[in-house]
Amino acid sequence: MSAPERIPPRSVTAADPAAAVLLAEGELTVRGRIHEASNAALYCTVTHEGREAACVYKPVAGERPLWDFPDGTLAGREVAAHAVSEATGWGLVPPTVLRDGPYGEGMCQLWIETAPGAELLALVDGEEPEPGWKAIGFAEVGEGRTALLVHADDERLRRLAVLDAVINNADRKGGHLLPTAEGLLYGIDHGVTFNTENKLRTLLWGWAGEPLTAEALDVLEGLGTALTDTGPLTTALTPLLTRAEIDATRARVENLLATGTHPQPGGDWPAIPWPPV
């Protein structure tokens, strides 16, 4: 299949309540394949009642088996990540639904146009980051040379770091960060999330061990309430995750509230995804 062709700007935004209906009920037309994706990811248009948008459709049939996640569950985890994001009120994950499509059931997510030149990650010389940046770690850049990998000291990234800790994101790479011209930031590719074992792998370690913000603590309190046995978030996640995975999510929220700090890398799992972009 040919590379994706550009289509006109979508008629809905991620904040538009009509986006979910458009994604769930609209007619999907495949325009091309996103070749960089590890699983089948199709660039599509979706139309419904005179409205059109660009979207990504990931059919369950195109998911590669993973040793640590049950087969056929990645699409549901992407939808679950959106549900948790919505419960935070931060809107960090584009509208995402589970639906039938040309290649069977799959995840359908609104396409996000990114702003060119938005600097969120960088490789720099020196032992310490410059003001406005947070250190991730050192990386080999060839010919025996190393450089310091840093990310922006950005409130939007810090919120995303909290979300990733809640959903246990095992693959937060730089290419999964989508800043927009409107100053918003979205995170994508949440198929490897919600494992019951600690698998947090991310580039957003700059705040590791630092106190959570007052805003983050308030959000986590709200998530804890929403994740009670009869809470609305538990209800939303029940068709998408196992009971054990929902319980583990609740436990992660409780642990973040108990410690009051951003998590630190553990020793049982690689802390940084590879490749990092």
Side-chain angles (χ1 to χ4, degrees), residues 175-196:
H176 301 166
L177 306 173
L178 305 183
T180 73
E182 297 77 24
L184 302 175
L185 176 70
Y186 294 98
I188 61 168
D189 284 350
H190 297 109
V192 286
T193 50
F194 296 102
N195 202 295
T196 55

Side-chain angles (χ1 to χ4, degrees), residues 20-28 45-49 99-100:
V21 175
L22 177 62
L23 291 171
E25 301 181 10
E27 180 181 356
L28 278 176
T45 53
V46 58
T47 56
H48 181 63
E49 296 183 349
R99 58 160 294 169
D100 285 330

